[in-house]
Amino acid sequence: MKSNEKDDISINSAPQYTESSLPKNSKWQQFKDSFKRVDTTNSNINLTDVEKANQLSNNNDLHRSLKSRQIQMIALGGSIGTGLLIGSGGALAKGGPASLLISYGLVGTMVFCVIHALGELCVAFPVAGAFSTYATRFVDSSWGFAVGWNYAIMWLIVLPLELVAAAMCIKYWNDKINPASWVAIFYVFIVAINLFGVKGYGEAEFYLTILKVIAIVGFIILGVVLVCGGGPNHEFIGSKNWKIPFTNGFKGLCVTFITASYSLAGSELVGLTSAETSNPHKTLPKAVRQIFWRLFLFYFLSLTFIGLLVPADSPELLGSSDTSASPFVLAIKAGGIYALPSIFNACILISILSVGNSAVYGCSRTIQSLGAQGLAPSIFAYVDRKGRPLVGLIISAIFGLLCFLSAYKDEETVFNWLLSVSGLATIFSWFNIGLCHVRFRLAMFKQGKSMDELIFKSVTGIYGTIYSMGLLLLVLGVQFWTALFPLGSNGKANATSFFQNYLGSVVILVFYLCHKIYTKNWRLYIKLKDIDLDSGRRDVDLELIKAELEQERELNKSRSVFIRVWKYWC
């Protein structure tokens, strides 16, 4: 018996790697070993597809290295990019200043409800893949397969698009250098950041978002000065540019709705971070609450001043898709300030690189989650000893090479068709979050579980989620109409426009049906009584956490109203 124990000990304590003769403490050997796969546990083959997916997604090998300050910055400004800084100019031209505020305001309320619903789910189930995993857990594995892959493909395509947009930013200063050279530099920069693992992504987003926040806040302050006539031109602008609040009537408003939805894409990324933070019950609620400030400060206030400072009929708004058409740059130019446009162009470049960085992070984590759930080849679930989803990163890097199509003469046509494949991915992802939240709440009720078990609850509740789902269906409806009969078509159907804007709905349907046929799973949804509400939760003392929260509430009662508001929302 002793000899067997000795043999076991010798086997377990033997060095795991023998392919190299380098000593264990060699930096080069440690670097090579870091790329090796972390040991994983095998699942029970007798489980159903959903049970197996739940079990495998719970065995999370990603490192819980994201800090509270990093998650808060990711939530605060991680998705601010070309949609707001450049795309809002086209929305202003097509819809007018009133349409801009109405559409962003309504879509903002929808996103507020969706992210709070996501926060509730992520605090309860901080598993890898977040909302793609929840689709399998609360709806059906085929729906999880379709939503997950559609979301991953979106980020695969967004990366090269953002890299090309970054090169276009440089052309603002110097258009004589081949854009492919700048694309190569940005490509290496973003891939290198993500090779440092979640710490690299978190630190990069922290500092990049700080710069974005400073830029937007600075623009709002400048906007107040310019509107009141305090700029170099000393011209009081007021509501002069609001003479035509709606430029294309109701259809213009509908087009602006779609732009607003795309501009807010990436808000859900905070959910993917839940598996890589050590205390999701503390960090995520605070990060989710900050969505209010991002919507109000960065979108609503900044676009209010864009509508006041930039005429909707300005020919420069639709002159191109590069930074020279950014309404922020045009507003600064119109104010007679000649140095600031270049500075703000640099801020746009930073924002674009930030979104490209987020694209690699979001894509790699989603692909890893799909592999872990059994919805992709098992190699896709590969996580190395540094907690990096290595296969997901490699796939994202390979697709990122599409950025070199910028040297091709018809690159815009190619990118438009690539983007059309996943053009509606954000809409479907948000709708999926709402659907999962509703089914989660209904399953809690059906299985007799108390809402007191939830550490964090959505402030808008289930009714806010239902409202957001209804608004998303409305956006899909108007997208269908404006895609088939675009502005300027004089009521004639345009097949090219339709497929470039609505092909994403066909793609997700194909994914869904192909998975049903392949797995022969004809179940539409999981019954509420069969939904797994237990696995995936962190091993935490629920009573201790509740006691801490109650202690925090009692402490808040002794503070001033200002401090209480600040503590809650900031």
Side-chain angles (χ1 to χ4, degrees):
M1 184 68 179
K2 289 183 179 179
S3 62
N4 290 337
E5 289 177 358
K6 186 176 181 179
D7 290 339
D8 290 340
I9 292 171
S10 64
I11 291 172
N12 292 331
S13 60
Q16 292 181 329
Y17 319 113
T18 58
E19 74 272 18
S20 174
S21 60
L22 292 174
K24 282 185 178 182
N25 58 357
S26 165
K27 294 293 184 182
W28 174 245
Q29 185 63 36
Q30 291 176 11
F31 174 75
K32 288 200 303 179
D33 289 345
S34 72
F35 290 97
K36 293 185 177 181
R37 189 169 192 166
V38 69
D39 295 331
T40 55
T41 56
N42 294 323
S43 62
N44 189 338
I45 59 175
N46 296 320
L47 299 176
T48 66
D49 58 336
V50 174
E51 290 172 339
K52 190 183 294 185
N54 289 342
Q55 183 193 81
L56 289 171
S57 62
N58 298 338
N59 297 330
N60 178 30
D61 298 313
L62 300 172
H63 286 190
R64 300 170 185 174
S65 305
L66 279 177
K67 300 174 183 177
S68 177
R69 61 178 176 85
Q70 294 169 340
I71 292 178
Q72 288 173 34
M73 279 298 168
I74 291 169
L76 190 61
S79 67
I80 296 174
T82 52
L84 171 66
L85 300 176
I86 298 177
S88 57
L92 175 62
K94 294 173 183 176
S99 293
L100 202 64
L101 292 186
I102 292 171
S103 60
Y104 275 85
L106 284 176
V107 172
T109 61
M110 177 267 293
V111 171
F112 182 84
C113 296
V114 167
I115 302 305
H116 270 264
L118 178 61
E120 181 178 306
L121 291 172
C122 287
V123 173
F125 303 95
V127 295
F131 39 88
S132 65
T133 306
Y134 301 146
T136 303
R137 180 187 293 262
F138 297 115
V139 185
D140 177 57
S141 58
S142 296
W143 177 243
F145 176 84
V147 170
W149 273 112
N150 202 34
Y151 190 73
I153 290 172
M154 179 193 78
W155 285 123
L156 282 175
I157 296 169
V158 164
L159 174 59
L161 283 171
E162 295 299 320
L163 290 171
V164 173
M168 291 168 67
C169 277
I170 299 295
K171 290 173 67 176
Y172 180 86
W173 296 298
N174 188 335
D175 59 356
K176 295 179 181 178
I177 301 176
N178 191 320
S181 59
W182 292 113
V183 161
I185 294 171
F186 298 139
Y187 173 84
V188 172
F189 173 72
I190 289 175
V191 171
I193 286 176
N194 281 273
L195 283 178
F196 281 100
V198 69
K199 285 185 178 179
Y201 167 74
E203 282 299 300
E205 281 304 296
F206 178 77
Y207 291 108
L208 291 174
T209 300
I210 285 177
L211 293 174
K212 286 192 282 186
V213 169
I214 293 172
I216 299 294
V217 171
F219 176 80
I220 292 171
I221 295 171
L222 177 64
V224 174
V225 174
L226 294 178
V227 168
C228 297
N233 296 335
H234 300 292
E235 178 189 2
F236 177 78
I237 296 174
S239 60
K240 181 178 68 174
N241 293 321
W242 269 68
K243 291 179 181 178
I244 306 176
F246 299 97
T247 54
N248 284 292
F250 181 68
K251 182 174 279 191
L253 175 62
C254 292
V255 172
T256 312
F257 258 114
I258 297 157
T259 305
S261 300
Y262 292 153
S263 297
L264 288 160
S267 301
E268 70 288 340
L269 274 173
V270 68
L272 291 179
T273 66
S274 62
E276 296 182 86
T277 177
S278 57
N279 295 305
H281 62 278
K282 290 184 178 180
T283 56
L284 284 180
K286 194 170 185 178
V288 166
R289 292 186 190 110
Q290 288 185 344
I291 189 70
F292 170 80
W293 291 114
R294 188 176 73 201
L295 294 172
F296 178 72
L297 185 66
F298 299 151
Y299 286 91
F300 197 77
L301 275 185
S302 63
L303 291 175
T304 297
F305 287 107
I306 287 297
L308 291 171
L309 293 170
V310 182
D313 57 356
S314 171
E316 294 177 280
L317 286 175
L318 293 176
S320 65
S321 58
D322 59 17
T323 54
S324 63
S326 167
F328 291 83
V329 173
L330 294 178
I332 296 170
K333 281 184 177 179
I337 304 174
Y338 297 103
L340 274 181
S342 287
I343 296 174
F344 209 88
N345 186 65
C347 294
I348 293 174
L349 175 61
I350 289 169
S351 298
I352 291 171
L353 293 177
S354 172
V355 174
N357 188 36
S358 296
V360 176
Y361 177 84
C363 178
S364 60
R365 269 60 181 180
T366 304
I367 287 177
Q368 188 275 333
S369 171
L370 289 166
Q373 294 177 68
L375 300 178
S378 59
I379 190 63
F380 284 26
Y382 190 108
V383 176
D384 67 18
R385 295 178 181 182
K386 288 291 185 181
R388 294 169 296 205
L390 206 56
V391 174
L393 290 174
I394 291 171
I395 292 172
S396 187
I398 291 172
F399 269 80
L401 293 173
L402 288 171
C403 62
F404 291 102
L405 283 172
S406 59
Y408 179 57
K409 61 180 180 179
D410 291 328
E411 83 280 1
E412 187 175 347
T413 302
V414 174
F415 280 129
N416 283 340
W417 281 107
L418 283 173
L419 192 60
S420 68
V421 173
S422 57
L424 297 174
T426 299
I427 305 297
F428 286 121
S429 296
W430 289 343
F431 186 84
N432 168 65
I433 292 168
L435 180 62
C436 291
H437 183 239
V438 169
R439 287 187 57 78
F440 167 64
R441 285 289 189 98
L442 293 177
M444 290 278 288
F445 177 77
K446 180 72 174 179
Q447 297 181 24
K449 293 185 178 290
S450 171
M451 289 292 124
D452 292 335
E453 294 182 22
L454 301 179
I455 299 171
F456 173 75
K457 301 185 189 72
S458 168
V459 295
T460 58
I462 193 172
Y463 295 107
T465 303
I466 293 171
Y467 158 77
S468 66
M469 293 171 68
L471 195 56
L472 285 167
L473 290 175
L474 176 63
V475 170
L476 283 174
V478 299
Q479 171 79 325
F480 182 91
W481 177 47
T482 57
L484 189 59
F485 303 101
L487 286 173
S489 64
N490 297 320
K492 295 181 181 179
N494 187 318
T496 302
S497 170
F498 176 77
F499 282 105
Q500 282 190 345
N501 289 278
Y502 223 75
L503 186 60
S505 61
V506 179
V507 171
I508 197 169
L509 181 62
V510 169
F511 273 120
Y512 180 78
L513 292 177
C514 286
H515 188 268
K516 285 287 183 192
I517 294 170
Y518 179 77
T519 59
K520 295 181 175 59
N521 164 31
W522 306 115
R523 173 192 61 216
L524 290 178
Y525 54 86
I526 305 168
K527 294 181 179 179
L528 294 177
K529 65 182 181 64
D530 296 327
I531 289 177
D532 181 5
L533 297 176
D534 298 313
S535 66
R537 299 197 173 192
R538 296 267 175 96
D539 294 327
V540 295
D541 189 334
L542 188 61
E543 294 302 322
L544 178 61
I545 293 173
K546 287 183 178 180
E548 290 177 356
L549 293 174
E550 184 61 33
Q551 186 179 6
E552 180 68 21
R553 280 192 286 267
E554 291 297 325
L555 182 61
N556 276 334
K557 289 179 181 179
S558 62
R559 293 168 174 162
S560 66
V561 175
F562 176 79
I563 296 296
R564 275 185 279 174
V565 172
W566 177 265
K567 282 281 184 182
Y568 183 83
W569 291 107
C570 302

